[in-house]
Amino acid sequence: MPPHSRRARRLIPHVSYSKVAVILGIFLVLLCGGAYAAVAIPASSTGVISGCYQKKTGILRVLGPNHRCAKKTEIALSWNQRGVPGVPGAAGARGDTGLPGGTGQGGANGAIGPTGATGAPATNLFASVGITGTLLAGSGVVSVTNPFVGTYNITFNRDLSACAPVATISTATGTGLLYTRTTATVVNVFTYTDGGSAANAYFYLTVSC
Protein backbone atom coordinates (compact mmCIF):
# COMPACT_ATOMS: atom_id res chain seq x y z
CA MET A 1 0.00 0.00 0.00
CA PRO A 2 1.42 3.44 -0.89
CA PRO A 3 2.55 5.61 2.04
CA HIS A 4 0.05 8.41 1.30
CA SER A 5 -2.89 5.92 1.55
CA ARG A 6 -1.75 4.81 5.01
CA ARG A 7 -1.53 8.43 6.19
CA ALA A 8 -5.06 9.17 4.87
CA ARG A 9 -6.43 6.18 6.78
CA ARG A 10 -4.84 7.38 10.00
CA LEU A 11 -6.34 10.90 9.59
CA ILE A 12 -9.96 9.96 8.80
CA PRO A 13 -10.86 8.32 12.17
CA HIS A 14 -9.55 11.42 14.01
CA VAL A 15 -12.00 13.91 12.46
CA SER A 16 -13.51 15.79 15.43
CA TYR A 17 -16.71 17.77 15.80
CA SER A 18 -14.67 20.99 15.89
CA LYS A 19 -13.41 20.12 12.43
CA VAL A 20 -16.97 19.45 11.36
CA ALA A 21 -17.92 22.93 12.58
CA VAL A 22 -15.10 24.43 10.50
CA ILE A 23 -16.29 22.52 7.47
CA LEU A 24 -19.83 23.76 8.06
CA GLY A 25 -18.58 27.36 8.27
CA ILE A 26 -16.71 27.05 4.99
CA PHE A 27 -19.73 25.48 3.39
CA LEU A 28 -21.99 28.30 4.55
CA VAL A 29 -19.61 30.88 3.04
CA LEU A 30 -19.74 29.07 -0.26
CA LEU A 31 -23.49 28.74 0.03
CA CYS A 32 -23.96 32.46 0.62
CA GLY A 33 -21.74 33.17 -2.37
CA GLY A 34 -24.00 31.16 -4.66
CA ALA A 35 -21.61 28.26 -5.33
CA TYR A 36 -24.42 25.75 -4.78
CA ALA A 37 -27.30 27.68 -6.26
CA ALA A 38 -28.48 24.58 -8.10
CA VAL A 39 -29.63 22.93 -4.86
CA ALA A 40 -32.93 24.10 -3.29
CA ILE A 41 -31.47 25.28 0.06
CA PRO A 42 -32.94 25.75 2.56
CA ALA A 43 -35.45 23.00 1.92
CA SER A 44 -38.40 24.71 3.61
CA SER A 45 -39.83 28.13 4.39
CA THR A 46 -38.45 27.87 7.93
CA GLY A 47 -34.88 28.45 6.73
CA VAL A 48 -33.59 25.13 8.19
CA ILE A 49 -30.73 23.46 6.27
CA SER A 50 -30.41 19.68 6.59
CA GLY A 51 -27.21 17.73 5.95
CA CYS A 52 -25.50 14.35 6.50
CA TYR A 53 -22.09 13.80 8.12
CA GLN A 54 -20.25 10.67 6.84
CA LYS A 55 -18.94 8.86 9.95
CA LYS A 56 -15.91 7.29 8.26
CA THR A 57 -14.80 9.96 5.80
CA GLY A 58 -15.95 13.10 7.66
CA ILE A 59 -17.58 14.40 4.51
CA LEU A 60 -20.59 16.67 5.00
CA ARG A 61 -23.24 16.83 2.34
CA VAL A 62 -26.35 18.98 2.15
CA LEU A 63 -29.67 17.27 1.64
CA GLY A 64 -31.87 18.39 -1.17
CA PRO A 65 -35.67 18.07 -1.15
CA ASN A 66 -36.98 14.55 -0.46
CA HIS A 67 -33.54 13.16 0.52
CA ARG A 68 -32.47 11.44 3.76
CA CYS A 69 -29.27 10.42 5.51
CA ALA A 70 -28.09 6.81 5.59
CA LYS A 71 -28.84 5.70 9.17
CA LYS A 72 -25.87 3.33 9.49
CA THR A 73 -23.10 5.39 7.90
CA GLU A 74 -24.21 9.02 8.38
CA ILE A 75 -25.23 11.38 11.15
CA ALA A 76 -28.12 13.76 10.38
CA LEU A 77 -27.37 17.44 11.08
CA SER A 78 -29.47 20.58 10.69
CA TRP A 79 -28.85 24.31 11.10
CA ASN A 80 -30.60 27.55 10.33
CA GLN A 81 -29.59 30.50 8.20
CA ARG A 82 -31.39 32.90 10.51
CA GLY A 83 -29.46 34.38 13.38
CA VAL A 84 -30.61 34.68 16.96
CA PRO A 85 -33.07 37.57 17.39
CA GLY A 86 -31.37 40.67 18.72
CA VAL A 87 -32.32 42.52 21.88
CA PRO A 88 -35.26 44.88 21.28
CA GLY A 89 -34.18 48.47 20.86
CA ALA A 90 -35.08 51.19 23.32
CA ALA A 91 -38.39 52.98 22.88
CA GLY A 92 -38.20 56.04 20.69
CA ALA A 93 -38.88 59.55 21.92
CA ARG A 94 -42.49 60.63 22.06
CA GLY A 95 -43.61 62.54 18.98
CA ASP A 96 -44.93 66.09 19.04
CA THR A 97 -48.61 66.62 19.74
CA GLY A 98 -50.60 66.88 16.54
CA LEU A 99 -52.60 69.94 15.59
CA PRO A 100 -56.25 70.04 16.70
CA GLY A 101 -58.66 68.66 14.17
CA GLY A 102 -61.19 70.84 12.43
CA THR A 103 -64.65 71.42 13.83
CA GLY A 104 -66.98 68.62 12.86
CA GLN A 105 -70.25 69.20 11.07
CA GLY A 106 -73.29 69.88 13.20
CA GLY A 107 -75.62 66.98 13.80
CA ALA A 108 -79.10 66.84 12.34
CA ASN A 109 -81.97 68.27 14.35
CA GLY A 110 -83.69 65.76 16.55
CA ALA A 111 -87.26 64.74 16.02
CA ILE A 112 -89.96 66.90 17.58
CA GLY A 113 -91.02 65.47 20.89
CA PRO A 114 -94.63 64.53 21.65
CA THR A 115 -97.04 67.21 22.76
CA GLY A 116 -97.26 67.47 26.50
CA ALA A 117 -100.44 66.90 28.40
CA THR A 118 -102.81 69.83 28.76
CA GLY A 119 -102.25 71.61 32.02
CA ALA A 120 -104.99 72.27 34.53
CA PRO A 121 -106.90 75.48 33.77
CA ALA A 122 -106.20 78.49 35.95
CA THR A 123 -108.78 79.16 38.61
CA ASN A 124 -110.58 82.42 37.75
CA LEU A 125 -112.71 83.91 40.47
CA PHE A 126 -114.58 87.11 39.73
CA ALA A 127 -117.30 89.43 40.99
CA SER A 128 -119.26 92.30 39.45
CA VAL A 129 -120.42 94.46 42.37
CA GLY A 130 -123.09 97.24 42.35
CA ILE A 131 -122.74 100.59 44.09
CA THR A 132 -124.64 99.39 47.20
CA GLY A 133 -122.74 96.07 47.44
CA THR A 134 -125.10 94.00 45.33
CA LEU A 135 -123.50 91.00 43.58
CA LEU A 136 -124.43 91.50 39.91
CA ALA A 137 -122.43 88.48 38.61
CA GLY A 138 -119.67 86.30 39.90
CA SER A 139 -117.85 82.95 40.12
CA GLY A 140 -116.83 81.36 43.40
CA VAL A 141 -118.33 84.24 45.38
CA VAL A 142 -119.91 83.34 48.73
CA SER A 143 -121.02 86.82 49.82
CA VAL A 144 -120.55 90.58 49.33
CA THR A 145 -121.00 93.15 52.09
CA ASN A 146 -120.83 96.99 52.13
CA PRO A 147 -120.41 97.82 55.83
CA PHE A 148 -119.12 101.35 55.31
CA VAL A 149 -119.09 103.93 52.54
CA GLY A 150 -116.45 102.94 50.04
CA THR A 151 -115.71 99.58 51.80
CA TYR A 152 -116.64 96.19 50.28
CA ASN A 153 -115.83 92.68 51.57
CA ILE A 154 -116.06 89.93 48.93
CA THR A 155 -115.80 86.39 50.36
CA PHE A 156 -114.85 83.48 48.03
CA ASN A 157 -115.17 79.73 48.43
CA ARG A 158 -111.42 78.96 48.57
CA ASP A 159 -108.13 80.07 50.09
CA LEU A 160 -106.70 83.11 48.32
CA SER A 161 -103.20 83.02 49.83
CA ALA A 162 -101.56 82.21 46.48
CA CYS A 163 -103.94 84.27 44.33
CA ALA A 164 -103.74 87.75 42.81
CA PRO A 165 -106.84 90.06 42.91
CA VAL A 166 -107.32 92.84 40.32
CA ALA A 167 -110.19 95.39 40.65
CA THR A 168 -111.27 98.14 38.24
CA ILE A 169 -113.96 100.84 38.71
CA SER A 170 -116.88 100.71 36.30
CA THR A 171 -117.25 103.51 33.79
CA ALA A 172 -120.80 103.98 35.10
CA THR A 173 -119.36 105.44 38.30
CA GLY A 174 -116.96 107.81 36.63
CA THR A 175 -113.41 108.30 37.70
CA GLY A 176 -112.20 107.21 41.08
CA LEU A 177 -109.49 105.48 43.10
CA LEU A 178 -109.47 101.84 44.21
CA TYR A 179 -107.42 99.73 46.65
CA THR A 180 -107.60 95.98 47.44
CA ARG A 181 -106.43 93.82 50.32
CA THR A 182 -106.64 90.05 50.66
CA THR A 183 -107.05 88.10 53.89
CA ALA A 184 -107.61 84.32 53.79
CA THR A 185 -110.79 83.91 51.69
CA VAL A 186 -111.81 87.59 51.65
CA VAL A 187 -110.85 90.41 49.28
CA ASN A 188 -111.36 93.90 50.72
CA VAL A 189 -112.05 96.60 48.12
CA PHE A 190 -111.87 100.31 49.02
CA THR A 191 -113.19 102.95 46.61
CA TYR A 192 -112.54 106.71 46.64
CA THR A 193 -113.35 109.83 44.67
CA ASP A 194 -110.70 111.59 42.66
CA GLY A 195 -110.22 113.89 45.64
CA GLY A 196 -109.45 110.91 47.92
CA SER A 197 -112.73 110.78 49.87
CA ALA A 198 -114.41 107.41 50.51
CA ALA A 199 -117.33 106.82 48.12
CA ASN A 200 -119.35 103.84 46.95
CA ALA A 201 -118.80 102.75 43.35
CA TYR A 202 -119.50 100.03 40.78
CA PHE A 203 -116.43 97.84 40.25
CA TYR A 204 -115.21 94.58 38.72
CA LEU A 205 -113.00 92.16 40.67
CA THR A 206 -111.04 89.20 39.23
CA VAL A 207 -108.86 86.80 41.21
CA SER A 208 -106.33 84.59 39.42
CA CYS A 209 -104.95 81.56 41.25
Side-chain angles (χ1 to χ4, degrees):
M1 179 180 295
H4 65 274
S5 297
R6 288 195 298 270
R7 287 195 299 271
R9 284 182 135 181
R10 286 197 298 271
L11 289 173
I12 290 173
H14 297 288
V15 176
S16 64
Y17 281 101
S18 61
K19 293 179 181 180
V20 172
V22 173
I23 295 172
L24 285 174
I26 295 172
F27 181 78
L28 288 175
V29 172
L30 294 176
L31 179 64
C32 294
Y36 294 91
V39 181
I41 302 171
S44 68
S45 59
T46 61
V48 175
I49 300 173
S50 299
C52 299
Y53 170 70
Q54 225 317 314
K55 297 178 182 178
K56 292 183 178 181
T57 63
I59 297 174
L60 176 67
R61 65 186 181 91
V62 176
L63 289 177
N66 302 321
H67 288 75
R68 297 182 180 179
C69 296
K71 294 183 178 180
K72 295 182 179 181
T73 60
E74 293 179 320
I75 298 174
L77 301 174
S78 63
W79 61 95
N80 198 311
Q81 288 179 316
R82 299 175 184 174
V84 178
V87 178
R94 183 174 180 176
D96 297 334
T97 303
L99 297 174
T103 302
Q105 296 181 348
N109 293 332
I112 298 174
T115 302
T118 303
T123 302
N124 288 320
L125 307 175
F126 71 92
S128 176
V129 180
I131 194 169
T132 60
T134 304
L135 180 63
L136 304 177
S139 173
V141 179
V142 175
S143 64
V144 179
T145 61
N146 178 217
F148 309 104
V149 175
T151 299
Y152 301 87
N153 301 320
I154 302 93
T155 303
F156 290 91
N157 60 3
R158 57 159 296 171
D159 181 24
L160 306 177
S161 301
C163 302
V166 177
T168 56
I169 290 180
S170 171
T171 56
T173 304
T175 59
L177 302 176
L178 186 144
Y179 168 74
T180 61
R181 180 179 64 190
T182 304
T183 58
T185 61
V186 179
V187 176
N188 305 120
V189 178
F190 306 95
T191 56
Y192 304 89
T193 64
D194 290 338
S197 300
N200 288 347
Y202 291 99
F203 63 88
Y204 300 102
L205 173 65
T206 58
V207 182
S208 298
C209 300

